[in-house]
């Protein structure tokens, strides 16, 4: 049944989502700082890349609140305290939160928005839920490689790209040092996971 936006649950859910995205963005930015400090610049980039996308999600949810301009929305909500020195654990925590948004929270918010007659908002929740799944998968993959010491070692020959200078090679293990820019192994990422990598001729 259509509901007036100002008295809807959807406007609260949008604010909850905006708060959640804002916090995720900050948590990932903090995590990136930790990764960098621990000599894992590629993992730092994974966190920053995702942080930027959370900012966009936040903006999308926030902009759906235009009708509430000038007002304050009071919400309750639970938000995680993901503090640990262990990078693999940080990645696992991030994975867990992303899956929670995908499996439960945004689907529920989307269904509610649909029920209340806010189709555009419902679409945002449902589509962003799918993106969060890919975020969770990516964090999980990096966590696994880190846990198994396979971040820079593959079972089969694979493409690697240096995120500092763009040098590409195909080997089982990423170079200990980039032969072009001298940056260490921590700057390498599997080519298939590098944003903007041209995979067309691979
Ligand atoms: Fe998000
Ligand atoms: Fe996400």
């Amino acid at each position: 049944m259509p509901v007036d936006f100002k008295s809807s649950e959807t406007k609260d859910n949008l604010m909850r989502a905006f708060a959640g995205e804002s916090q995720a963005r900050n948590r990932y930015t903090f995590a990136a700082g930790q990764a960098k400090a621990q000599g894992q610049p590629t993992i730092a980039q994974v966190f920053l890349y995702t942080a930027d996308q959370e900012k966009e999600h936040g903006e999308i949810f926030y902009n759906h609140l235009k009708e509430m301009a000038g007002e304050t929305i009071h919400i309750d909500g639970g938000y995680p305290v993901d503090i640990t020195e262990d990078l693999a654990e940080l990645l696992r925590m991030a994975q867990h939160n992303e899956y929670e948004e995908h499996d439960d929270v945004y689907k529920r918010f989307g269904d509610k928005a649909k029920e209340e007659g806010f189709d555009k908002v419902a679409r945002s929740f449902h589509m962003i839920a799918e993106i969060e799944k890919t975020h969770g998968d990516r964090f999980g993959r990096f966590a696994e490689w880190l846990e198994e010491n396979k971040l820079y070692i593959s079972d089969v020959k694979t493409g690697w790209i240096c995120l500092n200078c763009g040098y590409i090679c195909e080997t089982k293990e990423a170079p200990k040092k980039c032969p072009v820019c001298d940056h260490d192994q921590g700057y390498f990422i599997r080519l298939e996971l590098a944003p903007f990598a041209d995979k067309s001729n691979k």
Side-chain angles (χ1 to χ4, degrees), residues 21 24 28 50 54 57 98 101 131-132 135-136 139:
E21 296 289 343
Y28 297 162
T50 316
E54 307 305 5
H57 299 172
E98 298 285 353
E101 284 173 346
I131 298 170
E132 307 304 10
H135 286 177
F139 283 135

Side-chain angles (χ1 to χ4, degrees), residues 13 101-113 126:
N13 289 339
E101 284 173 346
H102 169 263
D103 300 338
D104 173 29
V105 184
Y106 287 172
K107 279 195 178 146
R108 211 161 18 86
F109 288 180
D111 292 349
K112 191 62 182 177
H126 286 140

Side-chain angles (χ1 to χ4, degrees), residues 35-102:
K36 192 125 204 244
Q38 292 183 28
Q40 296 287 7
T42 289
I43 291 188
Q45 295 230 24
V46 171
F47 274 118
L48 288 179
Y49 180 71
T50 316
D52 279 347
Q53 293 176 356
E54 307 305 5
K55 186 195 90 176
E56 295 302 321
H57 299 172
E59 193 171 5
I60 290 161
F61 293 137
Y62 194 56
N63 282 333
H64 280 309
L65 285 167
K66 275 197 188 102
E67 230 182 291
M68 296 295 294
E71 298 188 44
T72 297
I73 299 171
H74 295 271
I75 51 157
D76 54 18
Y79 301 97
V81 183
D82 292 345
I83 300 176
T84 170
E85 284 298 306
D86 185 325
L87 274 190
E89 204 182 340
L90 264 186
L91 286 161
R92 288 294 184 196
M93 288 166 157
Q95 178 193 25
H96 170 84
N97 298 329
E98 298 285 353
Y99 282 164
E100 201 168 56
E101 284 173 346
H102 169 263

Side-chain angles (χ1 to χ4, degrees), residues 161-168 178-183 187-188:
I161 183 167
C162 170
L163 284 176
N164 185 57
C165 74
Y167 168 73
I168 293 173
C178 176
V180 177
C181 71
D182 263 359
H183 280 59
Y187 283 86
F188 279 90

